Amino acid sequence: MEITLGQVLALLGAAMAVFLPGIGSAKGVGMVGEAAAGVVTEDPGKFSQTLILQALPGTQGIYGLLTGFVVMQRIGLLGGNLLPLTTHQGLLVFAACLPIAIVGLLSAIAQARAAVAGVGIVAKRPEELAKGITYSAMVETYAVLALLASILMLFGIRLA
Amino acid sequence: MPRDEEFLYASGRIKTLENRLLGRSVIERVIEAENIESMLRVLSETDYAPEFEELESVYDFEKALENSMIRTLNTVRESLKDHRIVRFFTLKYDFHNLKVVLKSRILGIDVQENFSKLGEVPVEELIKLGKGEGDAEVPESMKTAFDGAMRLYEETRDPQQIDLFLDRALFEELIGLTKKIGQEFLKDYLAASVDLINIKTVVRLKYMESDFRTLEKSLLPGGTIEPAFFEKYFQEPVNSLIEALSSSRYSRVVKEGLENWISTGSPAAYEKLSDDFLLGILKKGLYKPFGLETVAGYIGAKENEIKILRVLMVGKINGISEDMIRERLRDVYV
């Protein structure tokens, strides 16, 4: 079977949808983890509260992986039966991956900053943890919207 | 310039430690304490408990305060890879020690007890330097400052010149350090401290009826207000200096502080207001989730707290009235 440029572009899109939000989440979870470790050094009792905040910027990586899976499933890579995509079809898939790839990367870091501020809330007023989580979770909205856009586009493209 | 991300761990730690800084209510309880025992009882419930427990006599309280500061600095140091921000605060203690070494050399006496333990250059090495041993492990800049001060003393035979020379050397090094760190926040803090010190110097020298040359030598470098400004107002009454600075950001400090100085003849109110002003700059660290500001703010807050405790301890031990102590108390960070 001959490999087409369209297939390469589609796979490139899937790869980007996975690795960019992945980088963002890794950086974000790392940032919150560092700040949380600082709090726990002085007050070990705050482990579980800070752990919740640390997990928040991790979702973008999952959304990226999900998008990557959808692409792989749509182009037949998972079944071992790769569709012979045209260049235009490949570009369409690539374009569909961009929202979650870019928004995932940036929103994970923005969310991490809000979560670090939330760690500060936990350090001072542990009873207000929920507010810290809410502030940080607001950023999630935009990652979810980007995921939604990417998925809708991917299901809308006619490939067969 | 260090990125904010480099301060994540330290900031998280500091956010917890900020809870242990003394608030207004604890300070009020210390002021209202009936005697030294009840004051110590209040302090034993605070972060100062371990240091005060070790004390044999309350008159050694300086030692406890110093040890508490050492503990704070060590905590910050172990939380950071880049220690330059700590150095910004500890450099003055090293220069203090350098002054002690120089003066003991000139007077030919041993004044070990005057050394500060907060400096980073080992005191033994400074003593070596004082004895003129060439292999003393002291930073080059401090060696140069030492030689310069020594030369100046030999020319003038005036110990006050040493203080002026070393103060200038300290601030020159601080300016260099803030340039290297490259954070506007720190530069701004340093410039404000220099300005406030320079304003105080001008007024002090005016009251002492000093000459122009002394003023030139006493003004510190690195402020936002030019020396020419001070030289101009040196010849005019203090009120016109207050007027001239009324549109600057120091207007409140200058107006209230200097007016009080004119009427009472004491700079205490001005000093308190300038400390409060500088603490106000540092408070940015309290509201920033992470970054150099948080670290600098905490170290500055701790220094401020120790100043407050010193006023409280001296006041209480000497039986000074609550109102008089309250007048001299600085603002708190938290």
Side-chain angles (χ1 to χ4, degrees):
Chain A
M1 188 191 82
E2 204 175 314
I3 296 172
T4 67
L5 181 60
Q7 289 168 338
V8 175
L9 285 170
L11 212 58
L12 193 62
M16 274 175 59
V18 177
F19 81 74
L20 286 176
I23 290 172
S25 283
K27 191 175 155 67
V29 173
M31 279 171 70
V32 188
E34 269 190 63
V39 172
V40 171
T41 307
E42 293 298 333
D43 190 351
K46 292 193 171 132
F47 172 70
S48 51
Q49 284 144 306
T50 52
L51 191 66
I52 301 173
L53 284 162
Q54 191 193 7
L56 290 178
T59 48
Q60 280 83 346
I62 301 171
Y63 298 162
L65 182 69
L66 180 68
T67 312
F69 268 129
V70 172
V71 174
M72 286 184 251
Q73 185 259 328
R74 291 283 288 132
I75 64 175
L77 191 76
L78 286 184
N81 193 13
L82 195 57
L83 298 173
L85 301 178
T86 65
T87 307
H88 279 103
Q89 283 174 322
L91 274 172
L92 283 174
V93 174
F94 183 82
C97 291
L98 287 180
I100 190 60
I102 295 169
V103 178
L105 169 68
L106 299 178
S107 70
I109 294 166
Q111 190 169 32
R113 296 182 74 94
V116 171
V119 170
I121 298 184
V122 172
K124 298 248 160 93
R125 298 172 187 275
E127 68 280 6
E128 305 292 359
L129 167 69
K131 290 175 184 158
I133 294 175
T134 311
Y135 285 136
S136 182
M138 294 300 282
V139 186
E140 192 74 22
T141 319
Y142 304 95
V144 174
L145 293 180
L147 172 71
L148 187 66
S150 286
I151 298 282
L152 286 178
M153 285 186 223
L154 282 173
F155 280 114
I157 300 167
R158 203 182 286 244
L159 292 177
Chain B
M1 189 169 100
R3 290 173 310 128
D4 282 348
E5 280 81 7
E6 287 173 36
F7 297 95
L8 275 165
Y9 173 78
S11 301
R13 210 166 164 183
I14 283 169
K15 290 290 161 201
T16 311
L17 291 172
E18 279 168 1
N19 294 331
R20 298 180 202 161
L21 288 170
L22 304 185
R24 267 267 160 243
S25 61
V26 177
I27 290 171
E28 274 304 314
R29 278 173 61 209
V30 176
I31 297 178
E32 283 160 14
E34 277 163 16
N35 47 38
I36 294 174
E37 284 71 40
S38 54
M39 173 180 73
L40 288 179
R41 220 175 5 257
V42 177
L43 287 176
S44 70
E45 294 161 17
T46 67
D47 198 35
Y48 291 86
E51 281 80 16
F52 273 94
E53 262 165 34
E54 280 174 14
L55 279 192
E56 284 170 16
S57 144
V58 66
Y59 298 101
D60 287 336
F61 68 88
E62 275 295 342
K63 227 185 269 173
L65 297 182
E66 194 174 46
N67 287 339
S68 173
M69 192 68 205
I70 291 175
R71 182 156 59 93
T72 299
L73 290 174
N74 285 342
T75 307
V76 177
R77 269 193 211 108
E78 68 179 34
S79 312
L80 287 174
K81 215 163 36 179
D82 178 356
H83 291 173
R84 285 180 303 184
I85 178 63
V86 183
R87 193 71 187 120
F88 178 81
F89 287 94
T90 58
L91 201 60
K92 56 179 170 288
Y93 303 114
D94 282 308
F95 271 80
H96 164 83
N97 287 346
L98 197 62
K99 280 185 195 170
V100 175
V101 165
L102 258 162
K103 286 183 185 166
S104 46
R105 173 162 167 176
I106 289 165
L107 299 169
I109 49 167
D110 199 17
V111 277
Q112 289 277 356
E113 68 273 17
N114 288 337
F115 281 116
S116 164
K117 280 192 275 176
L118 297 168
E120 292 190 14
V121 180
V123 170
E124 306 80 59
E125 297 298 326
L126 284 173
I127 294 175
K128 265 196 201 171
L129 180 74
K131 286 183 183 152
E133 292 174 26
D135 62 340
E137 281 180 37
V138 175
E140 217 37 62
S141 59
M142 286 180 79
K143 274 188 189 166
T144 320
F146 178 84
D147 292 340
M150 210 54 215
R151 221 175 306 121
L152 194 67
Y153 177 72
E154 274 154 20
E155 281 167 21
T156 59
R157 296 275 147 194
D158 177 6
Q160 205 211 340
Q161 299 293 333
I162 295 178
D163 278 341
L164 295 180
F165 184 85
L166 287 182
D167 284 342
R168 180 172 278 270
L170 164 66
F171 277 85
E172 270 162 9
E173 193 153 347
L174 284 175
I175 294 167
L177 191 63
T178 48
K179 271 194 192 136
K180 262 189 234 156
I181 298 175
Q183 279 262 4
E184 277 312 312
F185 168 77
L186 215 54
K187 285 185 195 162
D188 180 53
Y189 175 71
L190 180 67
S193 358
V194 169
D195 285 339
L196 290 168
I197 295 174
N198 281 344
I199 295 171
K200 187 173 129 190
T201 305
V202 173
V203 180
R204 189 169 47 87
L205 291 180
K206 267 181 80 66
Y207 281 131
M208 285 165 60
E209 294 175 355
S210 288
D211 54 14
F212 217 72
R213 269 181 57 86
T214 318
L215 175 74
E216 270 182 335
K217 274 192 218 157
S218 309
L219 288 176
L220 294 173
T224 53
I225 307 175
E226 295 298 318
F229 174 88
F230 291 117
E231 281 158 18
K232 179 171 171 240
Y233 285 95
F234 186 53
Q235 289 136 322
E236 292 179 31
V238 177
N239 274 321
S240 54
L241 178 70
I242 299 176
E243 188 62 42
L245 288 168
S246 62
S247 57
S248 73
R249 60 174 173 160
Y250 311 116
S251 58
R252 199 184 139 243
V253 182
V254 168
K255 192 165 174 2
E256 284 179 30
L258 295 187
E259 273 171 7
N260 188 287
W261 195 343
I262 295 172
S263 58
T264 62
S266 150
Y270 176 80
E271 283 168 0
K272 173 194 146 32
L273 286 165
S274 12
D275 280 354
D276 288 352
F277 182 87
L278 292 173
L279 193 72
I281 297 183
L282 287 177
K283 268 191 185 166
K284 196 177 169 197
L286 193 61
Y287 302 110
K288 208 175 153 182
F290 60 101
L292 177 130
E293 290 88 338
T294 306
V295 179
Y298 178 65
I299 302 178
K302 186 77 187 183
E303 281 186 345
N304 182 63
E305 189 172 278
I306 283 177
K307 265 189 206 168
I308 294 177
L309 280 175
R310 190 173 292 129
V311 173
L312 287 177
M313 303 292 294
V314 171
K316 279 285 158 192
I317 290 174
N318 293 303
I320 293 173
S321 75
E322 285 182 20
D323 288 340
M324 260 181 67
I325 296 179
R326 235 178 236 123
E327 257 173 42
R328 272 153 214 267
L329 276 194
R330 267 100 182 126
D331 197 4
V332 289
Y333 187 68
V334 285

